[in-house]
Structures are given as C-alpha cells and as structure tokens.
Amino acid sequence: MYPFPLQLDRTPTEVEALLTSEFALAVLLAIAILEGAMMLRFMPSELVVPTAILLIGSSISEVITIVLVTVVGTTIGQFVLFSLVRRGGRNYILRKRWFPISESRLDRIDGWFERWGPVAVPVSNTMLFVRGLLTVPAGLSDMDGRVFVVLSALGSLSFQSILAALYLLVDYQFVLDNYLLV
C-alpha cells in the first residue's frame, strides 16, 4: 500500500492502531455504527472507508469486506437513531447534546422528507453533509422499520462504494504519478 496523506492526518492514533490490529473489522463495525447514529466525532464520515482501505487492505476482497462492514454498521446505527426518534420524538432528539443539528436545520430536513418521501432516505445517505439526517423525519413518519433499513442500507452501500472507488482511483493515480512515471 502507498501513503495517501489526507487520510491519516485526521485519524486518531488509537483508531489507527486498532484498525491495524486483528480486531480491525470489529473496530470498523463499531465506528460505522457510531457514524450511522450520528455520534462519530473523532473523524469525518467520508474518511472512514478510505482510512480502512489504507490500514486494513486494498485488495478487491478486502475492499468489498470493508464496504459491506461499513454498510452493516451504518445501517445498524441509523436504525438505532430511527428507533430513538420513533420512541422519543423530535423534541427528545433535539435536546440531546450528541445530536449535531439545530432545530432550524431539522425543519429544512423535515421539508425534504415531506417533499420527496421515502426515496429521500437512500438519496440523502449517498450525499455528503446530509448523510443520515433524514433518519429523524423517517422515524417520525409512519414508515415501517424494515423499509427504513432497506432504504438506509441502499444509500449507505452507494455512499461507501463511491468512497472506496474514489479512494482507489486517487490512490492508483498517486502511485502512477509518484512511483511508476518517474
């Protein structure tokens, strides 16, 4: 593997050490659950898969495993958030310090969900900066939990696959530029 400096400079050294240990996939699953529940604070969500590829491995089977583990983890995390919102309601979630969204921003997100309906869940899960936010209005709606899980997983699969492909493409270009085209 070749160094890709944008990845490790934002990764805590403890996380880096765990992602290179024999528990790497379990740690990755835990990180993905935190990311899905919108509780990941120690690294940006768009760096999870690239960092995992860098530290765990970049063979086709390793990348597929990394993507699948992160999809399962983020889906679990989002379902936990969906269930909390369903039980506690909008005001409950807004009072929680770990939930990083203001009421005005949540109002806009509610509007997206009202306008686009369930299709907004996988679409938003594919987009940076709004990833997972539609979990809240989905939890407040009459959406079936199983439908939410499928839509959440589809959006997460799209997002994680795009990240993996972009990382591999950029890393490949980095290798060509710096090592092979001397």
Side-chain angles (χ1 to χ4, degrees), residues 6-147:
L6 294 176
Q7 305 311 317
L8 292 179
D9 66 347
R10 305 255 333 248
T11 305
T13 55
E14 299 84 8
V15 173
E16 186 178 335
L18 287 170
L19 285 173
T20 56
S21 74
E22 66 269 15
F23 305 109
L25 292 177
V27 170
L28 180 61
L29 179 66
I31 290 170
I33 290 170
L34 289 174
E35 192 251 323
M38 298 185 69
M39 296 176 65
L40 186 66
R41 297 288 180 263
F42 53 86
M43 70 188 294
S45 62
E46 63 272 8
L47 294 184
V48 173
V49 166
T51 300
I53 292 170
L54 180 65
L55 296 173
I56 295 171
S58 60
S59 72
I60 296 296
S61 63
E62 289 166 327
V63 170
I64 289 170
T65 300
I66 288 166
V67 167
L68 291 177
V69 167
T70 55
V71 168
V72 168
T74 56
T75 303
I76 290 169
Q78 284 189 353
F79 185 70
V80 167
L81 181 58
F82 174 90
S83 299
L84 280 172
V85 170
R86 174 126 320 152
R87 282 184 178 244
R90 178 187 170 98
N91 289 332
Y92 168 79
I93 205 75
L94 283 171
R95 287 192 314 261
K96 296 301 175 189
R97 290 182 53 192
W98 54 263
F99 188 71
I101 303 301
S102 68
E103 189 165 1
S104 63
R105 186 157 184 219
L106 189 54
D107 287 340
R108 286 191 308 246
I109 294 163
D110 285 339
W112 295 347
F113 189 79
E114 287 175 21
R115 181 173 182 193
W116 299 103
V119 74
V121 173
V123 170
S124 73
N125 273 355
T126 304
M127 299 168 58
L128 292 174
F129 309 116
V130 294
R131 243 183 91 55
L133 292 180
L134 272 89
T135 300
V136 174
L140 295 171
S141 75
D142 61 353
M143 182 183 290
D144 181 73
R146 293 172 294 213
V147 170

